[in-house]
Amino acid sequence: DGGITQSPKYLFRKEGQNVTLSCEQNLNHDAMYWYRQDPGQGLRLIYYSQIVNDFQKGDIAEGYSVSREKKESFPLTVTSAQKNPTAFYLCASSSDRGPGNTIYFGEGSWLTVV
Amino acid sequence: AQSVAQPEDQVNVAEGNPLTVKCTYSVSGNPYLFWYVQYPNRGLQFLLKYITGDNLVKGSYGFEAEFNKSQTSFHLKKPSALVSDSALYFCAGGGTTSGTYKYIFGTGTRLKVLA
């Protein structure tokens, strides 16, 4: 089945620790995204990538980093510089980033600071 | 600045009754508008989108949405609600002058269908 796979579903981070969320898609989509979802707020864009080895900051990139070494993969690292990382993280993709394209989402990953 | 607003945090409707979830928008150029549904601890599922053409857009699970340019609205509707429709619904939008990375998501409306 085609889709977007995120792992792990639940992750706990200790203070001062970096953690990485995995995102893999087999839809052959060029564009990939990471969003953060907090209760009562809309989705906020962290990073996006249009092609391999290229990515751009979104609205809330501080404290996060990404890589795009393969078309299928777009991992997100939450660094210790992110002061409030507890949230639901959504990976997404679209065929490209042109206007009108539909964005499709993975199942999400919960990150909690302990 | 572009914006998408969902004025209701929660909508309650009895099973079998019609439902409406409201969305208004302000975007640059002509709008591209989307509806998504989210079940607890899950990702967003695409329901339908408006690009151009017919103002009534039909989507998955019997949902439809009506685009109204004069009122800058894109309300989600279903003629007969099911208990299983209970979920969080997001409206999203962008304009012809911007790409997908500029899509704005509303804050979500929780739909509760009562048996």
Side-chain angles (χ1 to χ4, degrees):
Chain A
D1 280 357
I4 302 168
T5 302
Q6 291 186 237
S7 62
K9 181 69 177 181
Y10 300 95
L11 188 58
F12 298 90
R13 192 192 93 169
K14 295 180 182 178
E15 296 285 347
Q17 192 177 47
N18 293 353
V19 294
T20 297
L21 305 179
S22 169
C23 178
E24 303 275 332
Q25 56 100 358
N26 61 4
L27 300 169
N28 199 32
H29 284 171
D30 285 325
M32 296 187 74
Y33 316 81
W34 275 104
Y35 290 89
R36 171 178 169 145
Q37 183 179 13
D38 294 283
Q41 299 191 37
L43 276 63
R44 292 183 290 169
L45 183 64
I46 305 172
Y47 268 98
Y48 66 96
S49 168
Q50 169 67 3
I51 57 173
V52 173
N53 293 323
D54 183 60
F55 45 83
Q56 305 296 328
K57 292 181 180 179
D59 301 318
I60 56 164
E62 186 175 350
Y64 299 98
S65 66
V66 293
S67 62
R68 187 94 185 269
E69 297 177 0
K70 298 187 300 182
K71 184 175 181 177
E72 302 79 20
S73 178
F74 192 43
L76 173 74
T77 297
V78 184
T79 74
S80 57
Q82 171 49 240
K83 297 306 177 190
N84 184 23
T86 296
F88 192 51
Y89 290 87
L90 289 158
C91 180
S93 70
S94 63
S95 56
D96 64 54
R97 67 171 187 173
N101 274 288
T102 301
I103 295 177
Y104 296 94
F105 290 84
E107 289 293 301
S109 292
W110 279 104
L111 174 61
T112 304
V113 174
V114 295
Chain B
Q2 301 191 126
S3 66
V4 170
Q6 294 181 244
E8 300 156 318
D9 290 335
Q10 182 160 318
V11 170
N12 295 329
V13 63
E15 187 176 29
N17 282 3
L19 69 87
T20 298
V21 183
K22 296 179 180 177
C23 173
T24 59
Y25 66 89
S26 173
V27 300
S28 303
N30 291 322
Y32 299 119
L33 299 163
F34 304 81
W35 276 103
Y36 291 86
V37 60
Q38 185 180 37
Y39 296 98
N41 293 326
R42 304 290 297 275
L44 275 66
Q45 293 179 37
F46 169 70
L47 283 177
L48 53 79
K49 74 176 179 182
Y50 172 84
I51 300 294
T52 186
D54 226 344
N55 289 343
L56 187 64
V57 179
K58 294 191 182 297
S60 305
Y61 312 120
F63 284 95
E64 56 191 26
E66 186 169 12
F67 171 71
N68 187 317
K69 188 173 182 177
S70 63
Q71 296 185 5
T72 61
S73 67
F74 188 56
H75 300 333
L76 182 70
K77 299 174 187 264
K78 188 174 182 182
S80 178
L82 300 172
V83 172
S84 56
D85 292 330
S86 299
L88 188 58
Y89 290 81
F90 287 96
C91 181
T96 49
T97 60
S98 59
T100 53
Y101 57 97
K102 288 291 188 183
Y103 285 178
I104 304 295
F105 286 80
T107 52
T109 298
R110 191 164 300 282
L111 173 67
K112 199 173 254 189
V113 181
L114 308 167

